[in-house]
Amino acid sequence: MATLNELIDNLSAAPAAKRSTVRRAFGLWFAASAFYVAVLVLVFGVRADIAVKLANPFYVTELAVLVLVIGSTGLSAVVLSYPDMHQAPGLALAPLLPLAAFAGLLLAGWIMDSPPAALPPHSYECTLCITLYSMVPAAGLFYYLRKQASTHLYATGAVALVSAFGIGCLALRLSEPTDSVVHLVRWHYLPMLGSGLLGLVAGRVVLKW
């Protein structure tokens, strides 16, 4: 009995294990994502008419809502990576409102795009470029998530990949001089949402423990 009491006393006196919180993990992820986008824009350049575009409320709103999509899906991935969802299951649903707002914004843009803006001379190349851009944040996020013990592998992988792909979309939107809503939806944003389907598989394979 004395030995058991000593063990309990020792465990009580030991410092608590250091545990990464959702806020800290999400903050690091968001800061790293912002830095990565800045590097991409610095390396590949910013669109020549950026000053004019930043005076356009619709363009600024599109970027802002896209940032919300990236942030909310990243937050959801971090929350879902905990076995108990860090006792905050509501945060796992954070992407629903930004995604709905983004869909509504694109619909409004399609309605207002009359006459339609000219299509750029390229098409699927944008999807390939965004995919390449997204590889670094996807690898970093999945590396972190794999160290966790998620019990929601499919959902975690899906939102993580949407977040990473969104980063690629944001970087390209800042550099590609096009305003065709048809092009953006077809080759930028539908693939971003479609990446969630690939994320289901990636989550099951990469995050399995």
Side-chain angles (χ1 to χ4, degrees), residues 86-113:
H86 211 267
Q87 299 181 6
L91 291 179
L93 303 177
L96 294 181
L97 186 57
L99 285 171
F102 197 58
L105 186 68
L106 293 177
L107 177 60
W110 178 74
I111 293 174
M112 293 187 300
D113 190 28

Side-chain angles (χ1 to χ4, degrees), residues 142-165:
F142 272 93
Y143 175 77
Y144 165 78
L145 297 173
R146 183 170 172 77
K147 296 190 296 183
Q148 302 290 86
S150 176
T151 55
H152 303 82
L153 305 183
Y154 296 102
T156 305
V159 292
L161 210 54
V162 170
S163 187
F165 209 90

